Amino acid sequence: FKMFPNPANGDRIYFSVTENATINVYNVLGKLIQSSEVTKSKNSINISEFSKGIYLVKINSGKQFITKKLIKN
C-alpha cells in the first residue's frame, strides 16, 4: 500500500491499493475522524475538513492491516 502525498497540503490523499480496503483515520488522541472504503478506481479520500496536524491512518484489506502516519500542513 502506498499513501500520497504525505505530508498533504491539499484536500485529498490518494492510495495505491491492489485490493479493496477500509481506511480509518484517527487523530492523535485515538478518536476516529473518518472511515472510508477505497478501491483501485476510487482511490482517494477527502481530507479538506481536517485541521493541520498529525493523524494515524489504518488501512485494513482483510489480509493486511497497516498503520501509517499522515501529516496535514
Side-chain angles (χ1 to χ4, degrees), residues 3-5 8 11-15 43-47 57 70:
M3 177 177 74
F4 54 93
D11 291 340
R12 301 194 81 73
I13 54 171
Y14 297 88
F15 296 88
N43 66 341
S44 68
I45 62 172
N46 186 346
I47 59 166
V57 178
L70 168 68

Side-chain angles (χ1 to χ4, degrees), residues 25-73:
V25 183
Y26 298 86
N27 66 12
V28 289
L29 301 175
K31 181 180 175 195
L32 179 64
I33 304 292
Q34 182 178 4
S35 183
S36 307
E37 296 287 325
V38 293
T39 63
K40 287 182 186 176
S41 58
K42 183 190 163 292
N43 66 341
S44 68
I45 62 172
N46 186 346
I47 59 166
S48 61
E49 301 291 316
F50 292 13
S51 303
K52 291 181 180 180
I54 297 173
Y55 298 88
L56 291 176
V57 178
K58 295 191 177 181
I59 306 162
N60 186 356
S61 71
K63 296 178 189 168
Q64 285 185 302
F65 191 82
I66 300 170
T67 303
K68 293 184 179 275
K69 183 165 68 171
L70 168 68
I71 300 167
K72 174 148 189 208
N73 290 331

